[in-house]
Amino acid sequence: MDRAARFLVPLPTLMGLLIFLCVRPGAEGGKVLVVPMDGSHWLSMKEAVQELHARGHQMVVVSPELNMHIKEDFFTLTTYASPYTQDEFNHLLLGQTYLIFERTHFLKMFLKAMESLKSAALVFQRSCEELLHNKELIRHLNASSFEVVLTDPVYPCGAVLAKYLSLPAVSFLSSIPCDLDVEGAQCPNPSSYIPRLFTMNSDHMTFLQRVKNMLYPLALKYICHISFTPYASLASELLQREVSMVDVFSFASVWLFRGDFVLDYPRPIMPNMVFSGGINCGHRKPLSQLNGQVSK
Ligand SMILES: *[C@@H]1O[C@H](CO)[C@@H](O)[C@H](O)[C@H]1NC(C)=O
């Protein structure tokens, strides 16, 4: 007898099972805790949050009261006190944006960019501490019986919070530097054919391109050290055991990538990595009539 035939389920039974799964009480909306990254990242995530809301899930977004784009909307917004005044917040986070337009020496530019990265990283780190050390809010979130935490790993606070509350975390991202996502998911990551960030390499590399592919990630290590190490310390303190940066990223149960292999080069993935296509900042505007006429 054909081996596969033994596993075949009659079609009506399968349909019945599917319908049962769809209508049983467990299929009602869930309670989702959202820990977003502020700024443009939130604009992408908000699209996903909106869709989940439309499908009947209860979305609770937690954010510091001082923020850029996370405002009261269709979801429930839970805020907590910020350790900064509005002026400090604006200065630390946006004070250096003029740099983009400045024409100065590369090294000077680089040092200034590092400085502004450091101060921005500190703002987010402080804000995360404020959340995780807020006993009353943690007690409230813990008692709210959420089923899952949806979070952006660029701000690893959500993953730490999920672990602290013993909830599964879903990471929503396009990519993060230093391949911490890939390491966290224990995914194979061969340098021989996976082009690294900023190298402009393809998946077919010459020897020298492979050398470049090995060296570029080293330069990013420092940036990742500044922006992510504080969360490992924070997690170590809360969970009362030594936690590394990679451990923090391994807290995610599912990785939801805003990517697609039509655009991205092929690479190995793990079963908990899902590609959801390129939702980025949403709300594209249609081209104006004028553009249409010019191109004719
Ligand atoms: C959450 O509540 C459970 C059950 O009451 C408790 O065991 C656990 O320690 C709480 N977690 C936090 C982080 O407060």
Side-chain angles (χ1 to χ4, degrees):
M1 192 173 116
D2 182 5
R3 283 191 62 149
R6 267 186 283 163
F7 297 105
L8 281 181
V9 181
L11 197 59
T13 315
L14 195 64
M15 290 301 285
L17 187 67
L18 277 178
I19 291 167
F20 168 74
L21 284 175
C22 292
V23 299
R24 77 201 172 95
E28 280 169 13
K31 240 180 137 179
V32 184
L33 178 61
V34 184
V35 186
M37 168 69 179
D38 200 358
S40 62
H41 278 247
W42 166 240
L43 302 182
S44 305
M45 186 182 250
K46 196 175 170 191
E47 298 286 309
V49 172
Q50 176 115 49
E51 185 59 34
L52 287 168
H53 169 77
R55 293 183 187 193
H57 300 288
Q58 194 186 334
M59 311 304 289
V60 177
V61 177
V62 61
S63 151
E65 60 187 7
L66 270 185
N67 66 63
M68 288 185 274
H69 294 312
I70 306 166
K71 306 296 171 207
E72 197 79 58
D73 209 320
F74 56 87
F75 46 80
T76 310
L77 181 63
T78 301
T79 58
Y80 54 91
S82 296
Y84 297 102
T85 65
Q86 182 77 54
D87 283 347
E88 288 168 337
F89 179 80
N90 290 351
H91 176 73
L92 288 168
L93 221 52
L94 309 168
Q96 310 288 329
T97 34
Y98 70 91
L99 272 178
I100 301 168
F101 304 105
E102 205 152 85
R103 293 181 171 274
T104 50
H105 189 261
F106 170 77
L107 195 66
K108 203 171 154 196
M109 183 87 161
F110 178 79
L111 291 176
K112 279 199 164 177
M114 282 303 112
E115 216 166 278
S116 73
L117 176 78
K118 260 188 201 168
S119 71
L122 194 64
V123 171
F124 287 106
Q125 178 200 334
R126 286 274 157 77
S127 146
C128 183
E129 286 168 2
E130 206 69 26
L131 165 62
L132 294 171
H133 289 153
N134 186 330
K135 291 214 165 65
E136 202 176 316
L137 179 57
I138 293 292
R139 206 174 304 129
H140 168 70
L141 295 176
N142 195 24
S144 304
S145 47
F146 288 102
E147 278 151 80
V148 69
V149 176
L150 176 68
T151 187
D152 187 327
V154 161
Y155 181 47
C157 198
V160 177
L161 177 63
K163 188 74 180 172
Y164 191 33
L165 298 178
S166 309
L167 290 171
V170 176
S171 278
F172 184 77
L173 72 158
S174 59
S175 73
I176 49 177
C178 305
D179 291 328
L180 284 164
D181 46 352
V182 177
E183 272 187 60
Q186 295 189 303
C187 181
N189 190 21
S191 283
S192 54
Y193 71 93
I194 302 182
R196 300 300 183 212
L197 205 60
F198 304 133
T199 56
M200 313 285 265
N201 286 339
S202 81
D203 57 339
H204 289 82
M205 295 173 227
T206 62
F207 176 73
L208 282 180
Q209 282 171 333
R210 284 187 188 193
V211 172
K212 184 180 172 188
N213 216 39
M214 303 281 291
L215 293 179
Y216 266 52
L218 297 179
L220 285 174
K221 286 268 184 234
Y222 177 64
I223 293 177
C224 292
H225 175 74
I226 297 175
S227 13
F228 296 133
T229 312
Y231 299 91
S233 322
L234 206 49
S236 304
E237 176 207 321
L238 292 174
L239 306 174
Q240 296 176 353
R241 61 181 165 87
E242 198 57 44
V243 174
S244 72
M245 246 191 324
V246 174
D247 291 335
V248 168
F249 286 92
S250 74
F251 294 160
S253 309
V254 174
W255 293 89
L256 206 52
F257 287 97
R258 297 196 299 272
D260 187 309
F261 282 130
V262 173
L263 282 177
D264 302 324
Y265 290 111
R267 63 175 169 101
I269 56 168
M270 296 303 266
N272 64 343
M273 293 178 162
V274 182
F275 287 76
S276 63
I279 318 168
N280 254 324
C281 295
H283 298 301
R284 61 194 175 281
K285 291 194 189 105
L287 288 175
S288 69
Q289 283 302 316
L290 183 64
N291 284 335
Q293 281 160 12
V294 169
S295 67
K296 261 178 208 162

